[in-house]
Every structure is written in structure tokens, then in C-alpha cells.
Amino acid sequence: MSDRTIFLSDVHLGTRGCRSALLVQFLQKHDADTLYLVGDIFDGWSLRRGWHWPEGHNAVVQAILQKAHDGTRVVFIPGNHDEVMRGYFGVHFGGIEVKAEDVFVSASGLRYRVVHGDEFDTVVMNAKWLAHLGDRAYSLLIWLNPKINALRRLWSPRYWSLSKWSKNQVKQAVNFITKFEEVLAEDARQKGFDGVICGHIHHACIRQIGDIRYINTGDWVESCTAVIENHQGDLRLVDWEARNNREQLLKRRQRRKHRSAANGQSEKRMA
């Protein structure tokens, strides 16, 4: 059964931190009438520094194009990392619409402004050199993630994000996220919307800010999240990595249970 709408952002194809395998898995298991790509789907900043495009990144592109071919409306709203696509507003690529922003009306009649969100980031808008410097530091944390997790797998199979942990420990980062959310909510209120759907800050969230519903789709580098609307107009946040971890844990438990049962049967026969 397909849903009405899927929103995802901040995939960052072209970087080593992109969790492309999980995203392909998600896209294979979820269909919708409309798919919104809410910015930073590929990372032009990173690709300019050095080319990195493994087969898994092609698989993501092919999965999206296949959905467009099968009749899904795909809307691409470029972000700051794939800003080169901002020169193509109104153009269709393989059935994918490129738009500066969009007005999304839920099945329940609520009106949402859909934007990437970087235009509300004062660092990106007023000190782009600092944004690029921060991006390099962030890339270093992402590069360290798999090395740390290779050690952690010795005692825990769960993926741990160094970059996500670092942001959560820094008070200024928490304050920035809160301010970002409040500014977008106020902008939506002033423009007469019921809510706003965005990406950019890699912090998945659905919450009420006054009379405005603020929704951030998260990312596919640190948290692997998306927002899905069903045909009744309910929007929910899907943490695909957490769901995948639960499924893997359940499978391991079932295998242990089967081995235990098999060993028990074997002992009975020997007795």
C-alpha cells in the first residue's frame, strides 16, 4: 500500500557520509503519489573538492528516476549544497520538477510551505566562507564515523554518529537549532501557512511552535529519516536506521532461538 506523500532531504550524494544503501532500501519499500526532495540531495561543495561517486549513489538516483517513471510526482527543491540546480527552476529532468519552493496541501487541508531552509541560516547567507569551513570540519567528523564504528561493532552492532553526538553536546548548536525552528515557524505564520516543511540542519523533528507545525525531514548522513503523509493527512517521522536496527536485532534473536531449539532437539535424540 502506498502513502500520499514522502519528504526527504540532505542525502548528500557525492560524500563519504551518505548512507545510500539504507536510502535505496527505504525507497524500495515505500511508494507515494508525490515525493519531495527538500534540498542537498547531492553535494556540489564536496564534489568540487574531490570526486566521490560510488555505485551506491547511482542506485539512489536510479531509484528516484524509477519512481518518476512509474508515475510518482517528484519535486526537487535545491538546497545550498546542490545550489547549482537553482539555475533550472521550472525545468523537468526525467520527470523531476525543479522548484524554488512549493506549497503543499495535506489531505486534511493544512497548507505547508516547503523550503530547504538555508535562506534562514545567517551563516550561509552572510558568511559563506565560514559555512564552507564548517562543512570541511563536518566532513572530517563524518570521515571518522565509520572508523569509530568499526571498533564499536566489537561490542555493539548499533551505528553511532560522532557528528550527531558532537552537535548535541554543544550548547551553541542547540541554540542555533531552536532559533532556526522558531524563525521558520514565524515566517510561515506571517505568510499565512499552517506549517513549514524543511531540511538543512540535519535535525529531524515534528513539533508545534505556537499555531505553526514545524517539520524537519532530517537527513541521510547522521540519522536516516524521512517524513511520510498517509491518505488521511497524518504526517509521521520515520527513523529508518532505528527501524532497520530493530529488524536486525529481531532477526538475530530469532536465529539464536532457532539454534537453541535445534540444539535441544539434538540433545533429546542423543539421550
Side-chain angles (χ1 to χ4, degrees):
M1 178 179 176
S2 68
D3 290 293
R4 186 169 183 263
T5 318
I6 295 173
F7 301 85
L8 58 87
S9 72
D10 297 272
V11 178
H12 290 276
L13 295 170
T15 68
R16 298 184 186 280
C18 172
R19 312 285 292 283
S20 58
L22 279 176
L23 180 52
V24 169
Q25 184 189 78
F26 171 82
L27 291 171
Q28 289 173 342
K29 294 188 177 183
H30 288 85
D31 287 314
D33 300 334
T34 303
L35 169 62
Y36 277 96
L37 307 174
V38 195
D40 288 358
I41 302 305
F42 67 89
D43 196 318
W45 293 9
S46 178
L47 289 170
R48 282 195 293 270
R49 293 196 297 265
W51 190 259
H52 175 76
W53 197 273
E55 185 57 37
H57 295 200
N58 278 335
V60 172
V61 174
Q62 290 302 317
I64 293 170
L65 289 174
Q66 185 62 50
K67 286 190 179 296
H69 180 268
D70 292 341
T72 298
R73 179 191 177 216
V74 181
V75 180
F76 175 26
I77 298 171
N80 51 306
H81 283 261
D82 47 23
E83 61 190 347
V84 65
M85 296 304 296
R86 288 176 170 169
Y88 298 94
F89 293 146
V91 177
H92 286 62
F93 292 95
I96 299 174
E97 308 171 43
V98 183
K99 305 185 75 171
E101 60 179 78
D102 203 22
V103 178
F104 165 69
V105 181
S106 71
S108 58
L110 297 178
R111 296 176 69 253
Y112 292 85
R113 186 184 184 202
V114 186
V115 292
H116 178 63
D118 61 293
E119 60 265 49
F120 299 92
D121 184 340
T122 55
V123 173
V124 171
M125 297 305 295
N126 300 316
K128 202 165 186 176
W129 67 270
L130 187 58
H132 280 275
L133 182 62
D135 181 61
R136 286 177 178 268
Y138 178 75
S139 296
L140 176 61
L141 294 178
I142 294 299
W143 178 78
L144 286 171
N145 272 345
K147 294 169 175 53
I148 292 173
N149 277 280
L151 292 174
R152 290 188 80 251
R153 286 193 196 100
L154 296 175
W155 66 86
S156 172
R158 184 165 184 171
Y159 186 87
W160 179 76
S161 173
L162 171 63
S163 55
K164 187 176 182 180
W165 177 86
S166 300
K167 285 197 297 186
N168 288 338
Q169 306 310 307
V170 180
K171 184 178 179 180
Q172 290 88 339
V174 175
N175 290 339
F176 167 77
I177 289 170
T178 301
K179 187 65 176 177
F180 179 85
E181 294 173 350
E182 291 172 350
V183 168
L184 264 79
E186 180 59 29
D187 177 78
R189 182 180 297 108
Q190 291 179 5
K191 289 181 168 62
F193 290 99
D194 299 299
V196 59
I197 301 173
C198 63
H200 185 57
I201 60 172
H202 294 207
H203 186 73
C205 179
I206 295 181
R207 75 184 186 100
Q208 200 73 19
I209 304 177
D211 56 346
I212 297 297
R213 198 175 195 199
Y214 169 86
I215 300 175
N216 193 299
T217 62
D219 67 282
W220 289 84
V221 177
E222 299 170 43
S223 54
C224 299
T225 54
V227 171
I228 296 179
E229 180 207 22
N230 63 23
H231 289 280
Q232 289 71 50
D234 301 317
L235 288 101
R236 69 187 188 276
L237 186 64
V238 177
D239 186 332
W240 190 250
E241 182 181 28
R243 180 173 172 177
N244 187 65
N245 286 339
R246 288 194 299 270
E247 290 178 353
Q248 293 301 317
L249 180 60
L250 180 61
K251 288 178 181 178
R252 284 195 295 272
R253 286 175 175 172
Q254 289 174 339
R255 284 196 295 267
R256 286 198 295 267
K257 184 178 180 180
H258 291 157
R259 284 197 298 267
S260 178
N263 290 337
Q265 289 296 327
S266 177
E267 289 174 0
K268 284 182 179 180
R269 284 195 297 270
M270 290 177 66

